[in-house]
Amino acid sequence: MGILNVTPDSFSDGGLFEKPEVAREQADALVSEGAALVDIGGESTRPGHVPVSAEEEQARVVPVIAALAGRLSVPISIDTYKASTADAALKAGAAIVNDVWGLQRQPDIARVAADHGAPVIAMHNRETIDPGIDIVSDMLAFFERSLSIARRAGISDDAIALDPGIGFGKSWEQHLEALRRLPEIKALGFPLLVGVSRKSLLGRLHDKETDPRERLFGSISAHVLAGTLGADILRVHDVRPHVEALRVVDAVMRPETGRG
């Protein structure tokens, strides 16, 4: 999954792709490098971000989605937790709803997805960080609530993917624990999306302070690890290097895919 943020303040690429024509060029580049999905977001969710209204979010994403929907060869996902933005994006041509609050911030988003026949990605998140909890137990309970919301809305289990939310609502140690214990989330029986691309938890492992765009090697390492532990979708900024690295993972761990 290639990341396309049409925001002024995303932690890694804020302001780079706000203009529709530049966003189109970036989407084309992501697909040409091997992205199987393009995830478009109009509100930064980095730590300390300033929330934006649904109207502002839609003004950013809808023109880009409308321009891309008829020309991209891969599906578009809308990265939002707002029901009205999901509805506008799906009407403009998006095909998947990617919710960083696991359908729980605005539960009506599940009904919107169901009405459009759109699959959903439910990400684990927390309002506050609690280093004292078992983070995977918390994730399992969270996902049960998300699944209940989705099922009540009429979304079938085969249209749901789960995301452990690396980088969201967790201590540094809990981020690593969540990655280490991915098989426990995988055991729920749903496809897993993992996104660690360029995140600050990787920078903490470097010998010096780094800009997010300098975290490629750590990003690849984290995603290769996730791929060996069961992740099915990797959400990344740098598509080509990840495609090449993950072909090796698939050749060893998933030979039935025919890659190699």
Side-chain angles (χ1 to χ4, degrees):
M1 174 186 277
I3 299 169
L4 179 56
N5 291 316
V6 289
T7 58
D9 57 345
S10 290
F11 79 97
S12 173
D13 53 8
L16 294 181
F17 309 116
E18 286 183 276
K19 295 180 179 179
E21 61 273 18
V22 180
R24 288 195 296 269
E25 291 174 3
Q26 177 64 6
D28 288 341
L30 293 171
V31 173
S32 71
E33 291 180 3
L37 301 164
V38 172
D39 190 48
I40 298 177
E43 177 179 355
S44 173
T45 51
R46 64 179 173 79
H49 74 280
V50 177
V52 300
S53 68
E55 292 75 17
E56 176 63 23
E57 184 182 34
Q58 291 163 35
R60 294 173 180 177
V61 300
V62 169
V64 174
I65 292 171
L68 291 173
R71 59 195 296 271
L72 284 188
S73 59
V74 304
I76 295 169
S77 58
I78 175 63
D79 181 357
T80 187
Y81 58 86
K82 300 184 183 76
S84 63
T85 298
D87 186 52
L90 292 168
K91 287 176 178 174
I96 301 166
V97 175
N98 181 16
D99 184 350
V100 298
W101 281 101
L103 313 178
Q104 297 182 40
R105 178 60 64 86
Q106 292 190 12
D108 197 45
I109 198 170
R111 179 197 59 78
V112 168
D115 287 349
H116 286 274
V120 298
I121 301 165
M123 194 192 84
H124 174 266
N125 211 333
R126 290 180 54 83
E127 294 281 2
T128 58
I129 296 172
D130 183 352
I133 64 172
D134 181 320
I135 195 61
V136 175
S137 294
D138 189 77
M139 291 161 63
L140 293 172
F142 180 97
F143 286 136
E144 284 303 317
R145 295 192 294 273
S146 296
L147 291 169
S148 178
I149 292 168
R151 288 162 177 161
R152 284 200 304 269
I155 300 172
S156 62
D157 282 7
D158 63 1
I160 301 170
L162 305 178
D163 178 348
I166 307 300
F168 292 82
K170 303 169 185 66
S171 69
W172 186 71
E173 291 80 7
Q174 287 171 336
H175 293 314
L176 302 181
E177 183 77 3
L179 279 172
R180 187 179 303 120
R181 295 171 64 185
L182 278 180
E184 294 175 52
I185 306 300
K186 182 74 171 180
L188 292 175
F190 295 87
L192 286 187
L193 181 150
V194 173
V196 195
S197 187
R198 300 183 182 179
K199 289 184 175 176
S200 59
L201 70 101
L202 300 172
R204 183 165 171 174
L205 294 168
H206 292 175
D207 293 330
K208 61 181 180 64
E209 185 174 348
T210 55
D211 180 272
R213 284 169 287 188
E214 298 175 331
R215 299 172 187 160
L216 174 60
F217 300 140
S219 299
I220 293 174
S221 297
H223 288 135
V224 165
L225 173 65
T228 64
L229 293 176
D232 302 284
I233 307 166
L234 287 307
R235 184 178 182 275
V236 306
H237 296 86
D238 306 285
V239 172
R240 182 80 249 162
H242 279 91
V243 166
E244 294 181 4
L246 290 160
R247 280 179 179 160
V248 177
V249 174
D250 279 354
V252 176
M253 305 297 295
R254 305 181 183 189
E256 71 280 1
T257 63
R259 291 181 180 178

